[in-house]
Amino acid sequence: MIKCNDVQEQARDLAEPIIARWRDVLACGEFILGDEVSRFEAWFSERCHGAFAVSMNSGTDALLLGLRALGVGPGDEVITCSNTFVATVGVIVAAGARPILADVGDDELVNAGTIAPLLSSRTKAVVPVHLRGRPAGIESIVALCRPCGVAVLEDCAQAIGTTIDGRQVGILGDAAAFSLHPLKTLGGLGDGGVLVTTNPKIAEYAESVRNHGLKSRGESAVFGMNSRLDALQAAALNIKAQYLDQWLDRRKAIAAYYDEALAETATGSDLGGFGQGNSFYHYVVRSADREGLQRYLAMRGIETAIHYPMPIHMQEAWLRSQPRIDLPNTERLAREILTIPCHHHLSDSDVERVVTTIKEFESLGLR
Ligand SMILES: Cc1ncc(COP(=O)(O)O)c(C=O)c1O
């Protein structure tokens, strides 16, 4: 089976060095924060061009604390998209604000054009998502928002390695949230996340609130929560971080092969196009007979996935508390998209087999 994502194999590859590092952590007994966490944060900060990097126990918490740090609360509106993982919208509700969902372009990304008509005096923040590792047009979104006093929190959960003008995304808005979920290109062996910001006040707030607002062992400056990255996770991530660029290069090479080999097919190349700066967390094609293509690939041992089959505004969670809305482009794309395997465990022959099978499906006239 050619898997769409292979977390087991990745864990197996690095089991030895990770376990060796864990032995050191066990020996020193520093399980909460400490050296491993500081080292990981320093590495992440360097990766983000010296911005502050505050680790947390999930990308969801990084988004939530990011919104809170930006002052988002009851009565505020926050604009984001509907074709994302549910956490992006869930945190807006958790912060007590009202989510407003913008439609997306054919590249599946929100942009200044789809956000602009939704801005109002109640808008406190915009959360653009760098979906699938594609760089969203942050510069134009920031240019739209800043003059209106609207903050920008970048959802970088899928965007480690994604760049704009060669620089890691996450530093152009007011703050950014990264996920270290095991499925991510840089994933832990459990949950984790990072809030990145160039604003020292936001960093200070996040660092305090992720640890109960404690200023000493017995006294809190503000009420907070427990959202610390475990030392054992940080130790594993410090090992994995050494391989990140190698893994990203492999994804890009596979994507370049797909782009070329699928260019003349009806299924076509990644919906993000041949865009610069894409880190290819997902490589997504489109088919008028998406279910047929998915079944055909599965029968030939190729696993695919749909990210995401149901936009958030059509889900029960939304309809319980929010108004019915139509997002035509988001809904159309959700019916056509298919994520095909694109990760560093694929061999050249795996990748060739994916292409040949897609072409075979098309030549049989099954679509
Ligand atoms: C776009 C997006 N936002 C937010 C999250 C939430 O991150 P986490 O699972 O680390 O809480 C994810 C992770 O799946 C995601 O893909």
Side-chain angles (χ1 to χ4, degrees):
M1 180 62 128
I2 299 178
K3 290 198 170 176
C4 208
N5 209 321
D6 205 339
V7 284
Q8 268 166 311
E9 200 166 336
Q10 195 185 111
R12 250 195 323 267
D13 282 354
L14 294 174
E16 288 310 317
I18 289 173
I19 289 168
R21 188 71 70 91
W22 279 355
R23 284 206 183 88
D24 296 341
V25 177
L26 297 190
C28 88
E30 202 171 43
F31 300 125
I32 302 291
L33 300 174
D35 275 358
E36 290 287 355
V37 171
S38 303
R39 200 171 318 135
F40 180 67
E41 288 177 336
W43 174 84
F44 214 97
S45 161
E46 201 182 314
R47 188 104 204 160
C48 295
H49 310 282
F52 299 96
V54 183
S55 62
M56 316 244 149
N57 72 12
S58 68
T60 305
D61 277 2
L63 281 170
L64 180 60
L65 290 192
L67 288 177
R68 291 204 178 134
L70 294 167
V72 171
D76 294 330
E77 291 183 356
V78 177
I79 301 172
T80 189
C81 55
S82 183
N83 60 336
T84 176
F85 181 62
V86 67
T88 315
V89 179
V91 292
I92 298 170
V93 176
R98 180 163 174 236
I100 304 289
L101 302 182
D103 210 349
V104 292
D106 287 341
D107 59 1
E108 301 188 281
L109 302 174
V110 276
N111 55 60
T114 60
I115 291 167
L118 303 175
L119 286 170
S120 78
S121 55
R122 292 178 298 279
T123 312
K124 186 82 180 180
V126 169
V127 184
V129 181
H130 297 287
L131 194 74
R132 322 197 179 290
R134 296 175 194 156
I138 290 298
E139 279 153 321
S140 52
I141 293 173
V142 169
L144 172 74
C145 292
R146 276 233 166 108
C148 325
V150 171
V152 176
L153 173 63
E154 297 178 60
D155 185 335
C156 293
Q158 304 184 356
I160 187 81
T162 301
T163 56
I164 292 177
D165 295 334
R167 290 159 72 79
Q168 170 66 51
V169 293
I171 52 171
L172 294 176
D174 295 279
F178 289 81
S179 168
L180 304 166
H181 182 280
L183 283 171
K184 298 295 184 275
T185 307
L186 178 64
L189 304 172
D191 281 310
V194 185
L195 184 74
V196 166
T197 180
T198 53
N199 181 331
K201 288 209 176 99
I202 293 177
E204 201 182 313
Y205 171 88
E207 202 169 340
S208 165
V209 171
R210 74 164 174 191
N211 193 21
H212 303 292
L214 286 169
K215 59 178 190 179
S216 68
R217 204 162 168 90
E219 192 187 350
S220 288
V222 286
F223 289 121
M225 56 207 256
N226 175 354
S227 183
R228 301 173 299 233
L229 181 70
D230 288 338
L232 287 171
Q233 286 303 337
L237 287 158
N238 282 328
I239 301 278
K240 288 185 153 204
Q242 300 167 42
Y243 298 89
L244 177 62
D245 285 322
Q246 197 178 308
W247 296 341
L248 286 165
D249 286 348
R250 179 66 186 147
R251 280 180 191 251
K252 285 177 201 162
I254 293 170
Y257 177 81
Y258 281 152
D259 279 349
E260 204 181 317
L262 294 174
E264 302 305 319
T265 66
T267 306
S269 55
D270 183 64
L271 292 180
F274 305 94
Q276 290 284 311
N278 193 339
S279 61
F280 296 100
Y281 174 60
H282 292 147
Y283 190 102
V284 174
V285 293
R286 183 168 23 180
S287 171
D289 180 12
R290 187 256 311 272
E291 272 69 29
L293 176 60
Q294 186 170 37
R295 257 194 319 273
Y296 191 80
L297 290 167
M299 278 185 320
R300 276 142 192 86
I302 299 168
E303 184 185 50
T304 56
I306 301 166
H307 304 98
Y308 298 90
M310 192 186 282
I312 290 166
H313 69 283
M314 300 170 82
Q315 297 187 22
E316 191 185 338
W318 176 273
L319 295 169
R320 275 174 192 277
S321 60
Q322 308 296 327
R324 272 181 195 282
I325 51 171
D326 294 322
L327 298 171
N329 227 22
T330 301
E331 290 164 31
R332 177 181 58 79
L333 287 162
R335 289 190 292 270
E336 298 174 351
I337 50 174
L338 189 66
T339 308
I340 60 174
C342 183
H343 55 83
H344 71 268
H345 281 108
L346 299 174
S347 65
D348 287 350
S349 69
D350 290 338
V351 182
E352 276 162 31
R353 187 142 73 88
V354 174
V355 168
T356 326
T357 314
I358 289 174
K359 287 184 173 169
E360 214 174 76
F361 173 76
E362 292 194 357
S363 69
L364 291 169
L366 294 172
R367 60 182 185 82

